[in-house]
Amino acid sequence: MAVRISIRTADYDVEGQMAQQSTPPQWSTGKSPLRHGDVPFRAGTVALASAVVLLVFAVAWMLYTSSQEARTAFGWDLLFGSTWNPVETELNPVSFGGWPAVRGTLLSALIALIIAAPLAVAIGIYLAELCPPVLRTPLSFLVELLAAVPSVIYGVWGVFVFVPFFSSAVAEPLSATVGAIVPWFAGPIATGRGLIVTGIILALMILPTIASLTRDVLRLVPNTQREAMLAIGATRWETIWLAVIPYSRAGIIGAIMLGLGRALGETMAATMLVGNTQRISESLFAPATTAASLVANELTNSVSSLHESALISVAFALFGITLFLNFGARLLIWFVERNTRGGRS
Amino acid sequence: MRTFNYRRRKLVDQLMRGLSALATGCAVIPLIAIIGYVLTIGSGAMSWSFFTDVYQPPSNAPEATADAPAVAYDPNDPFANLTVEPEAGTTGSTEDVTNVYNASPRGGVLHGILGTLTIAGIGLLFALPIGIFAGIYLSEFRNERFATIVRFCCDVLSGSPSIVAGVTIYVLVVLQTQQFSAVAGSMALAILMIPIVTRTTEEMLKLVPETMREAARGLGAPTWYSTFTVVLPAALPGIVTGVMLAFARGAGETAPLILTVLGSNIISTDIFKPMAALPLLTYRYTESPYPGENTQAWGAAFVLMMLVLLMNILVRVATRKSGGNSR
Amino acid sequence: MSAVVLQELTPFYGARQAVKPVNMTLASNQITAIIGPSGCGKSTVLRCLNRMHETIPGAYATGTVMLGAQNIYAPDIDPTMIRIKVGMVFQQPVALRTRNVYENVAVGLRLQGLSNRAELDAAVERALRSAVLWDEVKDVLDKPGTALSGGQQQRLSIARALAIEPEVLLLDEPASALDPIATASIEELLMTLKSRLTIVIVTHSMQQAARISDETAVFMVDVGAGQSIGELVEKGDTTQVFTQPNDPRTESYISGRVG
Ligand SMILES: Nc1ncnc2c1ncn2[C@@H]1O[C@H](COP(=O)(O)OP(=O)(O)O)[C@@H](O)[C@H]1O
Ligand SMILES: [Mg+2]
C-alpha cells in the first residue's frame, strides 16, 4: 500500500543551504569536469529505470514462452477443460483442464467481493464523512495497518479459528437443513475448508484495501460540493449519497477493482483454506482449488514439462487478468484525480 | 407546494449513518480479532528456546512408518528429519486450538527469523539501486515520455499477484541453476519491493520544493550535483520510510518463497542453498499434523506480525511527526 | 419576510472564540452588507445565520438568532429546516459536478419530495429567471453545470438557493471570484431580489457595499493578549456608516481603503 508521506519543507532553509557555498563552487568556473556529470547522471537513472521496464518484459516473456508447450497442446482447454490430471492412470489420461481452478478463483473472489465491497465502501464513507474527528486518525491508522498484515497470518487464523467455528456454527446446520434442497449448501462438511471460507477470509483481506482507497477518493471531493448540498437543507446522508458518492463514483469502482485483483491473485490464504482438490463440487462448503493455489502447490513438484508448462499457463492467465483489472482501476482513479485537480469548484 | 417528507428523510439519514458506523464496527471486530488471536496464542508459544533454538522433531511423534521415517539429520538434505511432509489441505488441525494434546512445542524458529532477515535484506539490496534510481528518474525527468512507461511498468509490478514473481524466478533462476536458494527468494521479493521503493522515492522527491532546485540551478550547479547534495538529502526521511515498507512487505510474503527458497530446518549461512523463512515456517507448521507444531505456527505468525506491524507503526509515527502540517 | 435578530451570538471554533458576542438586527427586504478586514469573522457570523457554522468539526455557537418569532438555535430546532428557510451562496461558485444545469437547480426541490415534472419545470424556470440566467441556459439545461462560465455558475448557485424559496439569502463574497461584468450582473440581480427576500452579503469591497446595501455592519479584528478575536464595531445606515462613522476604527478602516 502506498502511504501518503510529506516532508516538512520548513526544515530545509533554502537560503541557509545555499549560503554554505558562498565561496565560488568549482563548477561555476566554467570548464570544470563536474559540468559533464549530467550526461552520465541521466544515462544512469535511465538505465536503472529501464530495468523496471525490462523486468516487466522478462515476466511477460517468460510466462509467454514457458506456457507455449501447454498452450499449443491444449489451447483454451487449459482454462475451460474440466479435468486436471497430471499423472496418467489406467482410467484417466493426462489432461490439463484448468476449469476447477478458474471456477474456484472466480467464485471465491466473487464471494469476497460480495461481502467486502459494500462493507468496505461503508467503512470508507464512515471514515471520510461521518466519523467523529477523535476517532478518524486511529481508525484510519488501524485500517491501513490491517492492509499490511501478511496473508499467511490470515491463513493461520482461518485454519485454526475461523474454519472450526464456521463449520460448527454455520456450515453444519445449514447443510443439514437448506443443504438438502440447495446444492450450493450441501454437506457433508469434512474438513470445513472450501470456497466459502476462502471467500470470507479473502473478504477480510481486501476490506482494508478497498476501505482506505475509498476513503482517499472521498477525501478528494471538494468541500464546496458538500456545503452546497447542506445549504439547501440536505441531511448529512443526502449530501453523501447525492453529491459525494456520485462525484467519486469512478474512484470507488477503481478501489473495488483493485480489491478484486488482490482477491483473484491471493495465494496463501487460498492455499491454506480452499482444500486443494481438483474435483468440482457444487457445494460451496466442499473443498475446491484456485488458480494461484494450484500453481503454488504443484509447480515445484511438476511431473513433466507439459505439467510445468500448463501451470505456467495458469499463472499467465492470472497475470493477464490482474493486469487488466489494475490497469482499468488505475485509469479510473487517475481520471478522478485529474478531474479533481483540474476542476474549478 | 412543499410535499414535505421531513420525517422519512430524517429517519433515512439516521438509519444510513447508523449502518455505516455498524459496518465499520462489524468489519473492524474480526480484523482486530485476528491480531488479538495471534498476539495471545502466539505469545503463549513464546519461550527462551523459541528464539534461540531451531527445528526439533515432535517429541511424541507417531512411531516411524514407511511414510514418515525417523531419520537422523543429514546436512545435504535439510528436510530429511521432517517426519512427515503433510499433504496440503488434508491435514492440519481443524480441532479446537485449546486441545493441547501433544501441544507443547519443541525447538524454536531462530532459523526462520535469521532466514527472513537474510532473504528480505538481500532482496532489498537488489531492489534499492533500481528503485531509488528509477525514482530519481521519474521525479527529475518527470515529463519525458519514457517516464510514463516506467510508471506504468511499476503499476504492473505492484498489481500483479506475488505468485507471479515466484513463478518468474522459479523458471528463470531455480530451473536454470537446478537449485532452490535464498538468493532466488531475494530476487522474487525484489520484484515486489521495486515498485514500492520506486514510487515512494518519486513521491518524496516531488515533495521537495522546486525553489530548492531553482536555488541550486541559480548557482550554476549541474542537475546531478543538486540532486545528490540538495534534493536527495531533503527527501531522505521519506525515502527511508518507503524502504522500510518495502522490507516489511517482502518479509511477510510467502507464496514466492515456496517456489524459490523451499525452506530448511536448520540455520543456513549459504545463500545459494535453501533457507528457512518465518512465513514458510508459519505455513508449514499450520499444515502440520502435530499440535505442537501448530502452536509453533502461532508463534511464528506472532513474530512475523510483530516485525511487519512494528515497521509500519514506525513509518506512521515518523511520517506523522514530519507531515503534521500536511492538510 | 422576517427580520433576523442576533442576540449575544458567539461563534466558537473548538475552544477558541472567533467573535465577541454580536447583537444586531438585519431588517427584512433590505440588503445588509457585512464588511471588515480579512479574518474578522464575517464569514463565521454569516454561517451562523443558517447553522452552517456547526458543520465544521468542533465548531459551535452560543446565543440566539431570531428568524421572525423563531429562535434558530433553540434546542428542538433541526438545522436542515433552518437551511431551507435561509439560503446561502458561497464565495466559490458551485456546480454540483454530476448534475446538469436543470438538476443543479431542481436538487433542493427533489430533496423535498417534489417529483412532478411540470411543477419542477416551472420552479426551475422561475428560479433561473430570478437569477437572470434563464436566457443564457434555457437551451443547455441538460449540459453539465460545470460547463458554464464562472459568473454563470455563481448565478446557478443563486438559482439553486432561490428554487426552494427561502426567506433569507446569505451571500459570502459572491463576486470575489468573478470578473467586473459578472460582478455587475450579480449586484443588479440582488437589487431586484430584495423586494422578496432579506439579503445579507459579506463583501471585502467597500465600493460594493456602498453600491448595493441599505445597511452596513462593520467588523474588526481585536488583537489583544495574543489572541485575535472578531468584533462588531458599528452597524447602521450605509450612507451614514460611510460618511459619518460613529466608531474611530470604522473611520480609519474606511479612509484607509476608500481614501
Ligand atoms: N475552519 C476554521 N477552523 C478554525 N478557525 C477558523 C476556521 N475558519 C475561520 N477560522 C478563524 O475564525 C476567524 C474568522 O474567520 P472568517 O470568519 O473566515 O473571517 P473573514 O470571513 O472575515 O475573513 C479567523 O481568525 C479564522 O482564523
Ligand atoms: Mg470569509
Side-chain angles (χ1 to χ4, degrees):
Chain A
M1 277 292 85
V3 202
R4 273 158 291 105
I5 302 169
S6 59
I7 315 177
R8 184 169 38 178
T9 51
D11 273 0
Y12 306 103
D13 172 11
V14 178
E15 256 65 56
Q17 284 254 351
M18 291 296 114
Q20 292 165 7
Q21 288 142 5
S22 51
T23 51
Q26 25 183 339
W27 64 72
S28 59
T29 56
K31 288 236 162 72
S32 154
L34 275 169
R35 271 250 156 265
H36 304 295
D38 275 353
V39 175
F41 171 66
R42 186 174 173 285
T45 59
V46 168
L48 284 158
S50 311
V52 179
V53 181
L54 269 178
L55 202 54
V56 172
F57 275 104
V59 172
W61 172 80
M62 181 282 303
L63 288 171
Y64 178 79
T65 53
S66 301
S67 63
Q68 191 122 40
E69 183 184 353
R71 280 188 291 113
T72 40
F74 296 101
W76 288 107
D77 265 6
L78 276 170
L79 295 184
F80 303 112
S82 58
T83 318
W84 182 274
N85 183 34
V87 188
E88 180 150 11
T89 62
E90 273 176 41
L91 292 175
N92 300 307
V94 168
S95 149
F96 293 106
W99 181 241
V102 172
R103 172 182 174 277
T105 305
L106 294 179
L107 277 179
S108 59
L110 190 71
I111 293 169
L113 204 63
I114 289 172
I115 299 169
L119 270 178
V121 172
I123 297 172
I125 291 172
Y126 185 73
L127 288 178
E129 303 287 327
L130 297 170
C131 178
V134 274
L135 279 181
R136 179 169 291 156
T137 312
L139 267 182
S140 301
F141 182 39
L142 184 70
V143 167
E144 276 168 34
L145 216 54
L146 286 163
V149 171
S151 58
V152 70
I153 290 178
Y154 284 93
V156 173
W157 187 79
V159 168
F160 291 129
V161 181
F162 187 70
V163 168
F165 162 78
F166 188 80
S167 298
S168 61
V170 181
E172 272 156 17
L174 207 62
S175 65
T177 51
V178 191
I181 314 152
V182 186
W184 285 0
F185 302 125
I189 314 298
T191 60
R193 303 187 190 194
L195 287 179
I196 202 150
V197 286
T198 307
I200 293 172
I201 298 292
L202 286 180
L204 285 178
M205 294 181 57
I206 63 176
L207 250 171
T209 312
I210 305 179
S212 64
L213 282 169
T214 301
R215 186 209 50 194
D216 290 349
V217 294
L218 293 183
R219 287 278 93 193
L220 285 176
V221 177
N223 216 17
T224 53
Q225 299 270 321
R226 293 186 188 90
E227 295 206 318
M229 284 301 285
L230 289 173
I232 50 172
T235 62
R236 263 262 137 84
W237 178 253
E238 285 163 346
T239 304
I240 295 168
W241 189 244
L242 300 174
V244 177
I245 291 183
Y247 191 99
S248 46
R249 200 170 34 206
I252 295 173
I253 294 171
I256 294 175
M257 280 168 73
L258 282 182
L260 177 62
R262 189 161 172 216
L264 287 171
E266 170 51 38
T267 313
M268 286 326 290
T271 307
M272 294 167 87
L273 290 161
V274 80
N276 298 308
T277 171
Q278 294 295 327
R279 233 176 306 115
I280 291 186
S281 163
E282 278 217 18
S283 171
L284 295 177
F285 295 139
T289 188
T290 72
S293 62
L294 176 66
V295 175
N297 279 322
E298 294 193 0
L299 189 58
T300 57
N301 325 309
S302 51
V303 293
S304 62
S305 74
L306 191 60
H307 186 195
E308 195 173 278
S309 178
L311 288 166
I312 293 169
S313 309
V314 172
F316 193 20
L318 209 53
F319 180 68
I321 187 152
T322 49
L323 183 66
F324 175 76
L325 274 174
N326 277 286
F327 185 60
R330 272 170 218 284
L331 212 63
L332 280 172
I333 290 175
W334 169 81
F335 188 69
V336 172
E337 283 178 350
R338 193 201 54 175
N339 268 354
T340 313
R341 292 211 188 98
R344 192 196 316 271
S345 57
Chain B
M1 68 157 236
R2 268 178 201 166
T3 43
F4 212 58
N5 45 357
Y6 173 74
R7 299 268 300 275
R8 190 179 60 79
R9 289 173 59 198
K10 270 269 95 96
L11 212 69
V12 170
D13 180 48
Q14 256 138 33
L15 190 74
M16 296 312 289
R17 289 163 73 165
L19 277 182
S20 56
L22 192 71
T24 308
C26 283
V28 165
I29 286 166
L31 289 166
I32 291 180
I34 294 177
I35 295 187
Y37 267 99
V38 173
L39 292 188
T40 50
I41 304 184
S43 61
M46 297 296 113
S47 64
W48 183 243
S49 67
F50 188 80
F51 292 101
T52 56
D53 203 355
V54 296
Y55 177 78
Q56 300 293 335
S59 56
N60 31 16
E63 283 192 39
T65 63
D67 291 339
V71 231
Y73 170 66
D74 168 5
N76 293 319
D77 185 358
F79 274 120
N81 60 351
L82 180 62
T83 19
V84 125
E85 174 75 306
E87 197 180 308
T90 58
T91 54
S93 173
T94 54
E95 297 146 45
D96 194 336
V97 272
T98 53
N99 179 354
V100 287
Y101 167 68
N102 277 357
S104 57
R106 300 181 66 226
V109 296
L110 179 63
H111 55 319
I113 297 174
L114 295 178
T116 284
L117 294 179
T118 311
I119 297 168
I122 296 175
L124 210 51
L125 286 187
F126 288 131
L128 276 186
I130 298 182
I132 294 207
F133 275 87
I136 292 177
Y137 174 73
L138 289 182
S139 155
E140 304 307 302
F141 304 98
R142 62 189 77 161
N143 296 322
E144 293 185 13
R145 165 139 344 138
F146 185 60
T148 316
I149 299 174
V150 175
R151 246 175 240 126
F152 176 74
C153 287
C154 265
D155 287 350
V156 170
L157 285 185
S158 68
S160 64
S162 59
I163 187 90
V164 168
V167 172
T168 305
I169 299 300
Y170 176 74
V171 171
L172 296 182
V173 179
V174 176
L175 285 185
Q176 296 306 315
T177 59
Q178 292 293 308
Q179 174 70 57
F180 289 102
S181 67
V183 196
S186 303
M187 290 177 185
L189 295 187
I191 296 182
L192 305 169
M193 292 170 167
I194 284 171
I196 303 177
V197 178
T198 307
R199 293 315 289 269
T200 353
T201 305
E202 180 194 359
E203 294 301 319
M204 291 305 113
L205 292 178
K206 277 184 174 170
L207 284 178
V208 176
E210 200 55 35
T211 49
M212 286 178 69
R213 294 187 181 87
E214 273 160 19
R217 227 172 284 139
L219 286 172
T223 311
W224 71 270
Y225 189 86
S226 63
T227 302
F228 285 119
T229 58
V230 179
V231 182
L232 213 52
L236 198 62
I239 296 176
V240 170
T241 60
V243 172
M244 283 167 67
L245 286 183
F247 184 83
R249 164 87 200 271
E253 278 297 341
T254 318
L257 301 190
I258 292 179
L259 301 184
T260 52
V261 297
L262 199 65
S264 158
N265 287 332
I266 52 157
I267 295 175
S268 158
T269 48
D270 187 350
I271 58 167
F272 299 104
K273 288 274 152 56
M275 198 178 264
L278 273 178
L280 283 178
L281 291 182
T282 312
Y283 169 53
R284 298 217 199 275
Y285 285 162
T286 305
E287 301 290 350
S288 160
Y290 301 111
E293 294 191 346
N294 293 166
T295 310
Q296 301 267 49
W298 284 104
F302 176 84
V303 178
L304 192 59
M305 183 135 100
M306 279 301 176
L307 184 74
V308 172
L309 290 194
L310 275 182
M311 284 276 178
N312 274 275
I313 290 172
L314 262 175
V315 167
R316 298 296 143 162
V317 172
T319 54
R320 177 121 323 132
K321 225 188 276 165
S322 60
N325 52 357
S326 66
R327 259 200 80 189
Chain C
M1 295 300 105
S2 17
V4 179
V5 184
L6 289 69
Q7 295 161 352
E8 295 293 307
L9 176 73
T10 320
F12 291 84
Y13 288 103
R16 181 174 165 236
Q17 184 184 344
V19 182
K20 290 184 189 168
V22 179
N23 291 289
M24 65 174 166
T25 299
L26 307 166
S28 61
N29 297 91
Q30 286 205 343
I31 298 180
T32 306
I34 299 181
I35 62 171
S38 174
C40 65
K42 306 183 294 292
S43 302
T44 305
V45 168
L46 191 77
R47 289 167 62 91
C48 287
L49 304 186
N50 67 344
R51 298 195 59 174
M52 280 295 287
H53 176 61
E54 66 209 46
T55 62
I56 294 168
Y60 68 99
T62 61
T64 59
V65 175
M66 300 301 293
L67 178 64
Q70 187 179 38
N71 173 15
I72 70 170
Y73 277 96
D76 59 334
I77 293 283
D78 178 25
T80 59
M81 295 293 286
I82 297 305
R83 292 177 202 141
I84 289 168
K85 290 190 190 167
V86 185
M88 185 162 214
V89 174
F90 302 92
Q91 179 168 5
Q92 211 62 38
V94 187
L96 294 167
R97 164 98 56 193
T98 51
R99 284 159 204 276
N100 60 28
V101 172
Y102 182 95
E103 290 299 331
N104 255 285
V105 180
V107 57
L109 294 163
R110 287 201 190 278
L111 284 179
Q112 295 173 17
L114 186 68
S115 55
N116 180 312
R117 189 72 200 191
E119 279 183 52
L120 273 177
D121 285 351
V124 168
E125 179 172 345
R126 199 161 51 233
L128 283 169
R129 279 192 194 282
S130 307
V132 204
L133 189 58
W134 175 253
D135 291 332
E136 289 162 63
V137 301
K138 63 173 186 281
D139 299 323
V140 293
L141 289 176
D142 54 351
K143 292 266 153 51
T146 44
L148 302 181
S149 73
Q152 288 174 326
Q153 284 193 29
Q154 192 61 299
R155 277 175 287 152
L156 184 71
S157 307
I158 295 175
R160 182 170 47 235
L162 292 178
I164 54 174
E165 300 181 349
E167 298 171 22
V168 181
L169 185 63
L170 311 174
L171 304 102
D172 190 354
E173 306 197 18
S176 69
L178 305 181
D179 60 62
I181 295 172
T183 303
S185 72
I186 300 269
E187 287 180 7
E188 228 171 277
L189 157 66
L190 293 180
M191 304 289 274
T192 63
L193 283 177
K194 76 173 176 182
S195 61
R196 294 159 40 190
L197 286 164
T198 303
I199 295 178
V200 187
I201 178 170
V202 166
T203 173
H204 63 262
S205 151
M206 271 171 289
Q207 294 91 327
Q208 185 172 59
R211 276 195 301 268
I212 63 172
S213 70
D214 304 293
E215 292 203 294
T216 297
V218 185
F219 282 74
M220 288 288 152
V221 197
D222 182 8
V223 193
Q227 270 267 340
S228 71
I229 187 167
E231 180 181 9
L232 172 65
V233 295
E234 174 153 9
K235 154 108 183 2
D237 184 72
T238 296
T239 333
Q240 173 252 311
V241 168
F242 279 98
T243 52
Q244 302 160 307
N246 292 327
D247 195 291
R249 286 169 291 180
T250 313
E251 167 118 55
S252 63
Y253 177 63
I254 289 170
S255 56
R257 291 282 288 271
V258 181

